[in-house]
Amino acid sequence: MRGKPRMTTWITICDTCKREGWEAGDMARTDGEVMAELIEVAASGLKDVKTRRVSCLMGCKKACNVAIQGAGKLNYTMGEFEPTAEAATGIVAYAMGHAGSETGQVPFREWPQAIKGHFVTRHPPLPDNE
């Protein structure tokens, strides 16, 4: 990545996700809200990784869902997380690798254990021209 500026990677977090059995709990907050807060804390102060919340990524059967996105890079959707600090830290670590990659691809050997098995989709970057 020498000589190229780092681009911001966004972690888009579904804050409406509810894992199976959610209604058996206190239902004060959705699992997505809990996950969003954990990710926001883990990413706090990072220069190249930013977070945002959205209401629904339409991956309800795979809650908790996040998208890792950057302009001109491969973008990823991940899901089926438990809203834990370990998962949040793994997502943020992966996003940092994404931010440092020219293409958005992070070598498998650099993937945090917490995100392995959670990939749902990969999207190629949008074309620069029509």
Side-chain angles (χ1 to χ4, degrees):
M1 193 171 122
R2 238 181 238 156
K4 292 213 175 207
R6 290 175 65 99
M7 302 289 288
T8 299
T9 287
W10 285 90
I11 304 173
T12 301
I13 311 151
C14 177
D15 64 3
T16 56
C17 280
K18 298 172 188 153
R19 294 174 43 81
E20 188 175 327
W22 172 80
E23 60 282 340
D26 68 14
M27 297 191 303
R29 295 190 302 163
T30 65
D31 293 317
E33 288 173 308
V34 174
M35 180 64 109
E37 184 176 299
L38 291 166
I39 292 171
E40 289 162 351
V41 168
S44 178
L46 294 177
K47 179 182 171 196
D48 299 321
V49 174
K50 305 293 181 207
T51 64
R52 66 182 180 156
R53 295 183 186 203
V54 298
S55 293
C56 198
L57 287 175
M58 296 184 75
C60 301
K61 292 200 185 268
K62 296 189 178 288
C64 293
N65 295 288
V66 299
I68 307 295
Q69 303 166 290
K73 295 183 176 189
L74 292 166
N75 297 288
Y76 299 89
T77 306
M78 293 185 260
E80 291 192 76
F81 287 105
E82 290 187 34
T84 64
E86 179 184 6
T89 301
I91 291 165
V92 171
Y94 183 83
M96 290 170 58
H98 184 272
S101 168
E102 189 173 326
T103 64
Q105 190 166 8
V106 178
F108 181 77
R109 68 184 173 279
E110 296 177 18
W111 291 12
Q113 186 62 39
I115 60 105
K116 291 180 180 176
H118 292 274
F119 285 85
V120 178
T121 61
R122 178 172 81 171
H123 302 269
L126 293 172
D128 289 335
N129 57 33
E130 293 182 32

